[in-house]
Amino acid sequence: MPTLKPLPTQITLCRLVAQGLVPATAAQEVTSAVGSLLALQGQQVSAVPHALLARTPSATVRDVRAAFDEIALVRSWPMRGTVHITTAQDHHWLRAALLHRYDTYRHDAAENHGIDAKTLGVAAATVLEEIDREGPITRARAVELWAEAGLMDPARTVSAGASIEEAWQETSRRRRLVMLLHLEGILVQAPAGVNEHLLVDARDLPDETCGAVPGEKVGRGESGHEAALAEIARRFALGHGPVQVADLARWLMIPAGECSRALEAAVESSARTDTPVARMRLDEGGARLVPWETPISARERNAHAFYMRADLPELVEASRRRALGTVYLGMFDEMHVGYKDRSCLTDTVGENLICPAKNGMFRPFVVDRGRLVAVQRGSDLLWHPKAQLSARLEADVRRAVDRMTRRLSA
């Protein structure tokens, strides 16, 4: 579990630096920005450029589009049932390592929605033939093809006389077909369309043996599975740290025990690399992270250990002024959704500002001095009640918002 007391603001400063949100650690190009995080949340298509430009100061929206058009970046459901962006290189091994977490979903699709292996095979063959002939296709076109193949009835709507339950079943079946073909490594989304990313053949991407454990399969029960989980933990700690076991468990939606073992394995396996993962804890004053090298129990680790790149304290010190500066971030940004314990960033009031209706729609937000100070609602700024408003803060926030707005609209 995360610590019970609010985490110190120093954790936010460390995370800003680790995530490439200061010049010293920023990426040179957008695929590197994604690779350094391993994955970033991407269900809101319009928010993805914001997340990438924030971490790649020299990039443009055109660069973001090109990365997807060239299928260097892809969009899928590698973990926890949520759309994420990954590099093409990381897609299949990450998908395979976490596929077992979807066993219940796959079973339900077969038992309650009639999507068995044969149906899935027909659905795959239908869209792959079209992609091979015409190139990337929209999701709507895929549904048309499945209707022509007799796999669904697009006219089965309430307005056409179907019951609400029948219409919902048809919509649910359509959604599951799309998602299952991604989970099985058949389809992936990449080239930018109109408010969506188009479907392409995922079999052309580097397979799972070309990733975390070269030459080995990494699915659960396969020889490379434990090493793959350790690599996920290593990449998560380097790109998101400081993180706790509960943060990784939430990010992947796998048991805390597996995450604890994976993070410890990441510490051990990275010890002789250029960028090792360190195990840390808060000092007695609860404000500063210090190494935690003495033997400790799994229970203590799960509750109090932080994992991060070993050189992060030095990087933060060197970039402290920039880390304390004003950062404008988009909806579903990893600085917020990438962690279970976000108390270093904001409080309950701030959480409600970001997601007021608890409906999954998140607002863009602004961080200053390591704390959330405002969110954006349409063209308006809503200030956190505890934000120390001043001419300096208001000018810096407006400048950060205007600068990113210009970059996104260029």
Side-chain angles (χ1 to χ4, degrees):
M1 295 177 61
T3 53
L4 297 178
K5 292 172 57 178
L7 297 177
T9 303
Q10 181 69 11
I11 299 292
T12 298
L13 303 185
C14 289
R15 289 174 175 177
L16 286 165
V17 173
Q19 288 212 22
L21 289 165
V22 300
T25 55
Q28 296 299 308
E29 46 92 28
V30 294
T31 54
S32 297
V34 175
S36 67
L37 293 169
L38 181 56
L40 64 87
Q41 201 157 315
Q43 73 264 46
Q44 188 72 25
V45 171
S46 61
V48 172
H50 191 156
L52 296 182
L53 295 189
R55 293 163 172 82
T56 319
S58 62
T60 66
V61 171
R62 183 176 296 177
D63 295 323
V64 174
R65 186 182 184 99
F68 284 103
D69 289 349
E70 296 164 5
I71 317 183
L73 294 179
V74 298
R75 188 171 181 265
S76 186
W77 287 268
M79 62 235 194
R80 77 171 190 269
T82 302
V83 178
H84 280 75
I85 308 299
T86 67
T87 66
Q89 183 68 40
D90 286 326
H91 169 70
H92 275 308
W93 76 263
L94 186 59
R95 175 194 62 78
L98 300 172
L99 183 59
H100 64 282
R101 297 301 298 161
Y102 290 99
D103 285 351
T104 300
Y105 183 88
R106 295 155 81 197
H107 177 77
D108 176 71
E111 290 294 311
N112 298 317
H113 299 275
I115 307 176
D116 55 16
K118 181 179 179 180
T119 301
L120 202 59
V122 173
T126 303
V127 294
L128 290 174
E129 181 180 347
E130 179 81 354
I131 290 170
D132 186 56
R133 183 174 58 250
E134 301 292 339
I137 64 172
T138 64
R139 188 179 300 197
R141 178 55 181 154
V143 171
E144 289 177 357
L145 293 168
W146 293 331
E148 292 169 6
L151 298 180
M152 59 180 52
D153 181 3
R156 199 177 185 189
T157 63
V158 173
S159 60
S163 68
I164 292 176
E165 182 178 353
E166 288 173 333
W168 180 86
Q169 283 282 351
E170 194 66 23
T171 300
S172 183
R173 178 181 172 85
R174 180 187 314 159
R175 184 172 60 249
R176 279 169 167 75
L177 268 178
V178 172
M179 190 168 175
L180 285 167
L181 289 173
H182 283 69
L183 297 179
E184 299 298 336
I186 305 299
L187 296 179
V188 74
Q189 300 162 55
V194 179
N195 296 322
E196 69 174 316
H197 290 270
L198 304 181
L199 300 171
V200 297
D201 189 343
R203 299 172 304 171
D204 296 332
L205 305 184
D207 69 26
E208 65 179 287
T209 65
C210 298
V213 191
E216 295 188 38
K217 290 185 174 293
V218 297
R220 190 172 197 176
E222 302 284 359
S223 59
H225 182 65
E226 295 300 323
L229 292 183
E231 176 63 5
I232 292 171
R234 185 186 74 86
R235 299 270 294 275
F236 183 66
L238 294 181
H240 287 74
V243 295
Q244 297 184 273
V245 168
D247 295 317
L248 182 58
R250 180 200 171 279
W251 201 63
L252 298 179
M253 209 59 76
I254 67 175
E258 290 185 49
C259 292
S260 180
R261 292 190 293 273
L263 283 163
E264 285 297 306
V267 172
E268 183 177 350
S269 65
S270 68
R272 293 181 177 83
T273 65
D274 292 338
T275 311
V277 173
R279 186 197 311 110
M280 311 287 279
R281 63 175 176 84
L282 290 171
D283 63 11
E284 295 300 322
R288 190 169 65 92
L289 288 165
V290 295
W292 199 1
E293 298 172 352
T294 56
I296 53 177
S297 68
R299 184 174 182 179
E300 287 179 300
R301 288 199 307 268
N302 290 0
H304 303 297
F306 292 85
Y307 298 84
M308 64 189 203
R309 53 187 297 170
D311 61 351
L312 191 54
E314 291 76 20
L315 290 172
V316 172
E317 190 59 33
S319 294
R320 189 169 187 80
R321 183 179 66 84
R322 301 304 292 263
L324 286 166
T326 309
V327 184
Y328 172 49
L329 299 168
M331 295 180 287
F332 304 103
D333 195 271
E334 284 293 310
M335 268 301 297
H336 180 251
V337 300
Y339 308 95
K340 180 174 183 178
D341 190 340
R342 305 184 282 249
S343 58
C344 56
L345 177 67
T346 194
D347 55 13
T348 302
V349 173
E351 292 287 350
N352 290 335
L353 281 172
I354 290 176
C355 187
K358 301 294 189 293
N359 63 353
M361 290 307 296
F362 286 54
R363 291 167 171 164
F365 61 97
V366 184
V367 179
D368 183 84
R369 303 298 186 261
R371 296 290 291 180
L372 180 141
V373 293
V375 301
Q376 189 173 38
R377 183 182 64 183
S379 59
D380 297 328
L381 286 172
L382 302 180
W383 294 94
H384 191 290
K386 293 183 180 178
Q388 299 295 313
L389 291 181
S390 65
R392 191 281 306 169
L393 178 61
E394 293 188 49
D396 285 353
V397 168
R398 178 51 59 193
R399 188 179 301 113
V401 172
D402 288 349
R403 184 185 302 120
M404 180 57 71
T405 301
R406 287 194 299 271
R407 292 182 68 194
L408 290 169
S409 61

